């Protein structure tokens, strides 16, 4: 387990103990295994917010790949 989950929510992270490689899919379009774990995670929202605000560049966070997070950040910039 890496320090992928940082914050008070991390104790409830569903990915604790999961293989970190699942959360770093080689193909940016993949990550289905990680997303399935995130889908059942009780702290998906704070996890995603953390990844967005800290500009995490790699891996699946909060159920989204890096590409998907970049899209959200672009949308937020547009609507800001
Ligand atoms: S949303 Fe996904 S990456 Fe984030 S803590 Fe939960 S299982 Fe881990």
């Amino acid at each position: 387990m890496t320090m992928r989950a940082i914050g008070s929510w991390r104790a409830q992270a569903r990915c604790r103990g999961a293989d970190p490689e699942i959360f770093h899919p080689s193909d940016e379009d993949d990550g289905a295994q990680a997303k399935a774990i995130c889908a059942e995670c009780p702290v998906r929202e704070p996890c995603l917010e953390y990844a967005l605000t800290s500009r995490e560049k790699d891996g699946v966070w909060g159920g989204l790949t890096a590409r998907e997070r970049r899209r959200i950040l672009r949308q937020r910039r547009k609507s800001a």
Side-chain angles (χ1 to χ4, degrees), residues 1-7 9-11 13-25 34 47 50 56 58-61:
M1 184 64 195
T2 61
M3 289 295 289
R4 59 173 304 109
I6 300 156
W9 44 270
R10 74 173 172 175
R14 193 56 60 95
C15 55
R16 276 171 75 99
D19 182 351
E21 286 191 15
I22 291 174
F23 285 83
H24 290 85
C47 174
Y50 166 78
E56 284 288 347
D58 304 304
V60 174
W61 290 78

Side-chain angles (χ1 to χ4, degrees), residues 9-60:
W9 44 270
R10 74 173 172 175
Q12 297 176 65
R14 193 56 60 95
C15 55
R16 276 171 75 99
D19 182 351
E21 286 191 15
I22 291 174
F23 285 83
H24 290 85
S26 52
D27 182 343
E28 179 66 78
D29 291 327
D30 200 1
Q33 252 186 301
K35 288 180 172 193
I37 296 174
C38 294
E40 302 196 332
C41 179
V43 292
R44 200 170 68 80
E45 285 185 27
C47 174
L48 178 58
E49 268 318 305
Y50 166 78
L52 290 171
T53 52
S54 59
R55 303 286 195 272
E56 284 288 347
K57 289 186 178 16
D58 304 304
V60 174

